[in-house]
């Protein structure tokens, strides 16, 4: 028997219309590329989003069109999220830290129709313009007075909004309609697109709100240092308006001193970002001998949060939520909002528990499997590859059947490429990474791509790219190489050879020459053995 309840499709536009009515005075505070601080409430944001939606429609944008953004965290980027998805188009956020090659690939793969860009990223586009679709329309996210000289023939954001109506009839469509697109690095080859839906996005916002709601002060302020181009800033542009929380958008200055000043001035309650960012803030806190006023909660994710960082935050009265997730999971899968018995443990034991990756959020199922695919017990001892399932997890990749098929197991679970254990209380512990990727400052570098590019150098016979722990960047790549002959190429020479395919920060920090590489029983290079052999190795910038 069916129940007798109404059914309305879940829509992203409803989040903002709700916030404008129920939480009208909560603000979006933005450090602008224009150099000043800008403030607008959710009630003021809605009519601007409506005007933008009309402008997009006037440009011929239709249901399912991909509209790209290349921008920092700010109110205009937030407006684009809602104006694009709200009318049934797809908000494709692009990571400006990608190499030129990857940027060209994803804009062409997504077949973006319009690209909205912050002033500071205009040169990136000008450099690759000839390799982007000829009919792509560019819009620079500023006002007429700040429009830079450019070769993009670009339109001006604020001019587009001028004279447009303040009200937009948000269309009703199937809640499984695509809403957002975010590419993530593959272990090899090209980036792969996670294509979110209205349903998955609204559910994720509700789920995260459920975890957060109790941990944060009512109607407080959240600072997403995590970029809007990195899995929708972990869903905050959707969760914060639902909770009536203000968003403090940091723009382009993400160093410790700038973040400290902004958090102090705005009395930010909770700040979210990758460990690298908190290293910078911590250094500033040490310098000033105090934490920013009001700062009481930090969410750390994207890479494992070091225990010492968690300990320092907790000692200064900042509660740490250590979260784990993926682009493919919208992204939050587990969160360190611990049960009361953990909070009441002796301090050291409590920190031990908080260093783990926390418990799953509602709606995400976790399983760990051994090499044969057999599910392992959640006993805190058994280790296996982590698989996930749920309404906020991808079912494949955008226009990429090969990668889609490789990502799922026979029962429809998504393979994360992380190696983990789960204890009887449901607390996840990420132990290692099976995927061949290196994560530096929260951004990926494919070790296989590095190896392919390096071995095409005539001076290198064979090599392995491995991650080395780094206190600031979390991991940095180094090459372990066997020379082709006695004349070993220099690191500069290898960089010059590889630089066509990589952004500068992706290039290896060092090359370590060895007579031969250790192999596994199946003849593959054993990175595990290599890592063990190099336990005493120190990266050049740390010597
Ligand atoms: P991304 O799709 O860029 O968000 O990266 C997701 C991956 O980052 C995961 O599969 C993990 O390998 C890693 N990761 C994210 N959060 C954590 C964490 N808290 N601890 C350890 N690894 C993490």
């Amino acid at each position: 028997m069916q129940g007798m309840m109404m059914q309305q499709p879940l829509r992203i536009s409803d989040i903002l219309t709700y916030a404008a009515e129920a939480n009208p005075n909560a603000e979006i505070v933005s450090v602008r590329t224009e150099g000043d601080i800008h403030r607008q409430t959710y009630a003021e944001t809605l009519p601007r989003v409506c005007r933008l939606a009309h402008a997009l429609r006037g440009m011929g944008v239709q249901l399912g069109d991909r509209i790209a953004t290349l921008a920092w965290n700010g109110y205009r980027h937030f407006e684009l999220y809602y104006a694009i998805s709200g009318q049934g188009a797809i908000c494709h956020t692009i990571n400006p830290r990608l190499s030129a090659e990857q940027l060209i690939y994803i804009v062409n793969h997504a077949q973006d129709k319009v690209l909205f860009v912050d002033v500071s990223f205009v040169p990136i586009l000008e450099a690759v313009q000839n390799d982007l679709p000829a009919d792509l329309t560019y819009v620079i996210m500023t006002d007429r007075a700040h429009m830079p000289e450019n070769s993009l023939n670009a339109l001006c954001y604020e001019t587009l909004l001028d004279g447009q109506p303040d009200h937009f009839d948000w269309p009703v469509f199937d809640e499984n309609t695509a809403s957002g697109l975010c590419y993530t690095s593959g272990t090899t080859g090209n980036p792969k697109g996670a294509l979110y839906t209205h349903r998955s996005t609204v559910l994720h916002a509700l789920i995260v709100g459920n975890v957060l709601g109790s941990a944060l002060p009512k109607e407080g302020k959240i600072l997403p240092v995590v970029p809007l181009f990195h899995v929708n800033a972990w869903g905050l542009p959707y969760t914060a308006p639902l909770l009536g929380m203000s968003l403090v958008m940091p723009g382009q200055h993400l160093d410790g001193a700038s973040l400290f000043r902004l958090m102090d001035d705005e009395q930010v309650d909770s700040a979210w970002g990758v460990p690298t960012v908190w290293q910078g803030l911590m250094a500033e806190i040490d310098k000033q001998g105090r934490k920013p006023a009001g700062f009481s909660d930090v969410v750390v994710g994207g890479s494992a949060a070091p225990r010492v960082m968690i300990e320092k935050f907790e000692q200064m009265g900042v509660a740490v939520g250590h979260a784990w997730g993926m682009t493919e999971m919208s992204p939050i899968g587990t969160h360190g909002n611990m049960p009361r018995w953990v909070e009441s443990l002796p301090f050291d034991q409590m920190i031990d528990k908080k260093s783990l990756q926390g418990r799953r959020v509602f709606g995400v199922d976790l399983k760990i499997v051994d090499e044969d695919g057999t599910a392992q017990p959640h006993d805190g001892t058994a280790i296996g590859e982590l698989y996930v399932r749920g309404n906020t997890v991808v079912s494949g990749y955008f226009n990429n059947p090969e990668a889609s098929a490789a990502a799922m197991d026979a029962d429809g679970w998504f393979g994360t490429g992380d190696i983990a254990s789960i204890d009887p209380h449901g607390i996840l512990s990420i132990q290692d990474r099976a995927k061949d990727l290196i994560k530096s400052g929260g951004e990926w570098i494919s070790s296989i791509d590095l190896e392919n590019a390096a071995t095409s150098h005539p001076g290198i016979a064979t090599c392995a790219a491995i991650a080395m722990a780094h206190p600031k960047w979390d991991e940095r790549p180094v090459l372990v190489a066997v020379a082709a002959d006695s004349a070993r190429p220099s690191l500069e020479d290898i960089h010059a050879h590889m630089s066509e395919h990589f952004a500068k920060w992706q290039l290896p920090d060092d090359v370590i020459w060895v007579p031969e590489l250790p192999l596994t029983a199946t003849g593959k290079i054993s990175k595990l053995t290599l890592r063990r052999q190099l336990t005493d190795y120190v990266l050049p910038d740390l010597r």
Side-chain angles (χ1 to χ4, degrees):
M1 187 191 292
Q2 297 265 295
M4 292 175 65
M5 299 303 286
M6 290 186 196
Q7 198 174 341
Q8 288 199 299
L10 299 173
R11 294 184 307 174
I12 286 172
S13 55
D14 289 323
I15 295 179
L16 187 59
T17 47
Y18 169 79
E21 194 176 341
N23 304 309
N25 298 324
E27 285 182 316
I28 305 173
V29 181
S30 311
V31 179
R32 293 208 284 192
T33 51
E34 286 90 335
D36 58 351
I37 300 253
H38 174 274
R39 328 181 77 89
Q40 86 189 11
T41 64
Y42 289 134
E44 290 163 342
T45 301
L46 179 59
R48 278 180 56 86
V49 169
C50 291
R51 286 155 63 192
L52 179 58
H54 280 289
L56 287 168
R57 199 163 266 183
M59 293 164 81
V61 170
Q62 294 179 352
L63 201 77
D65 280 346
R66 271 75 71 200
I67 310 300
T69 65
L70 189 65
W72 300 109
N73 289 7
Y75 66 107
R76 293 188 183 112
H77 205 170
F78 178 98
E79 290 166 355
L80 281 160
Y81 264 52
Y82 283 91
I84 296 169
S85 307
Q87 66 182 280
I90 300 167
C91 181
H92 170 204
T93 50
I94 302 177
N95 185 341
R97 297 183 186 127
L98 295 175
S99 67
E101 215 167 68
Q102 290 172 319
L103 178 72
I104 293 165
Y105 171 81
I106 67 168
V107 174
N108 284 292
H109 185 263
Q111 296 180 289
D112 293 322
K113 192 162 182 171
V114 186
L115 203 165
F116 285 81
V117 57
D118 259 341
V119 173
S120 40
F121 297 133
V122 168
I124 295 185
L125 291 180
E126 288 180 320
V128 297
Q129 189 182 357
N130 292 339
D131 294 308
L132 300 183
D135 57 355
L136 185 61
T137 302
Y138 300 91
V139 183
I140 300 181
M141 295 162 66
T142 187
D143 55 23
R144 177 119 321 269
H146 293 88
M147 276 294 277
E149 290 279 323
N150 68 90
S151 64
L152 301 172
N153 195 20
L155 304 172
C156 167
Y157 186 95
E158 292 297 335
T159 310
L160 275 184
L161 266 61
D162 282 346
Q164 300 287 357
D166 278 349
H167 177 80
F168 190 87
D169 272 329
W170 300 106
V172 179
F173 35 66
D174 184 330
E175 63 183 12
N176 293 303
T177 302
S179 61
L181 179 61
C182 184
Y183 283 75
T184 183
S185 293
T187 45
T188 179
N190 291 315
K192 304 170 290 186
L195 187 62
Y196 312 112
T197 65
H198 283 258
R199 175 181 158 79
S200 70
T201 305
V202 174
L203 285 176
H204 185 264
L206 291 168
I207 288 166
V208 174
N210 179 43
V211 174
L212 264 187
S214 58
L216 290 176
K218 225 175 182 181
E219 290 149 36
K221 293 186 182 176
I222 300 196
L223 174 91
V225 185
V226 52
L228 288 164
F229 56 76
H230 204 160
V231 216
N232 305 325
W234 299 348
L236 282 179
Y238 308 112
T239 303
L242 272 186
L243 293 178
M245 299 197 75
S246 293
L247 281 167
V248 179
M249 303 284 212
Q252 58 186 320
H253 301 295
L254 305 177
D255 58 286
S258 305
L259 285 178
F260 189 105
R261 201 174 323 115
L262 181 64
M263 291 171 72
D264 209 34
D265 290 350
E266 295 297 329
Q267 308 239 326
V268 166
D269 298 286
S270 175
W272 294 37
V274 296
T276 300
V277 160
W278 305 133
Q279 303 278 7
L281 181 72
M282 202 60 102
E284 186 64 19
I285 289 175
D286 286 345
K287 200 166 133 198
Q288 303 226 10
R290 67 176 181 101
K291 63 174 183 167
F295 183 31
S296 63
D297 180 90
V298 65
V299 175
V300 193
S303 291
R307 189 186 187 284
V308 54
M309 175 184 283
I310 297 177
E311 190 175 10
K312 267 183 99 171
F313 272 133
E314 291 276 346
Q315 270 165 349
M316 64 178 81
V318 176
V320 178
H322 184 194
W324 166 89
M326 298 183 76
T327 305
E328 289 90 334
M329 299 178 69
S330 306
I332 294 183
T334 66
H335 188 277
N337 194 358
M338 290 287 183
R340 193 173 285 180
W341 67 265
V342 171
E343 304 287 350
S344 48
L345 286 171
F347 187 75
D348 267 1
Q349 289 174 35
M350 191 264 287
I351 298 297
D352 286 344
K353 288 282 179 228
K354 285 208 159 193
S355 304
L356 306 176
Q357 278 76 7
R359 295 173 298 167
R360 70 187 175 101
V361 295
F362 172 75
V364 172
D365 299 331
L366 309 177
K367 73 171 177 182
I368 45 172
V369 304
D370 66 9
E371 280 179 2
D372 304 327
T374 309
Q376 299 298 298
H378 294 187
D379 59 7
T381 313
I383 288 176
E385 182 171 351
L386 180 62
Y387 279 75
V388 291
R389 185 178 67 178
N391 288 308
T392 56
V393 180
V394 293
S395 57
Y397 291 103
F398 175 58
N399 270 350
N400 195 336
E402 252 175 49
S404 302
M408 305 290 165
D409 76 2
D411 299 322
W413 291 67
F414 174 83
T416 65
D418 288 326
I419 307 292
S421 65
I422 301 170
D423 79 8
H425 300 285
I427 299 175
L428 177 75
S429 171
I430 300 285
Q431 310 268 341
D432 200 355
R433 195 180 295 146
K435 50 199 172 196
D436 242 321
L437 287 165
I438 297 160
K439 203 163 202 187
S440 179
E443 306 284 353
W444 290 117
I445 309 166
S446 158
S447 35
I448 299 175
D449 286 351
L450 286 179
E451 288 157 9
N452 285 337
T455 36
S456 71
H457 189 292
I460 295 179
T462 175
C463 72
I466 58 171
M468 284 291 169
H470 188 282
K472 176 165 182 198
W473 302 111
D474 192 31
E475 293 176 1
R476 288 298 304 154
V478 298
L479 276 186
V480 187
V482 179
D485 51 44
S486 54
R488 294 171 175 171
S490 67
L491 184 64
E492 292 68 35
D493 185 17
I494 296 170
H495 278 182
H497 180 77
M498 298 171 71
S499 61
E500 188 193 333
H501 307 290
F502 295 93
K504 208 162 163 243
W505 64 269
Q506 294 174 318
L507 293 169
D509 279 6
D510 199 5
V511 54
I512 302 165
W513 297 103
V514 290
E516 60 183 13
L517 291 170
L519 299 181
T520 64
T522 53
K524 291 186 197 165
I525 294 170
S526 172
K527 293 196 177 174
L528 197 68
T529 315
L530 264 183
R531 278 196 218 109
R532 277 199 206 116
Q533 288 173 352
L534 292 169
T535 40
D536 295 333
Y537 171 84
V538 181
L539 283 160
D541 68 323
L542 303 175
R543 285 173 200 159

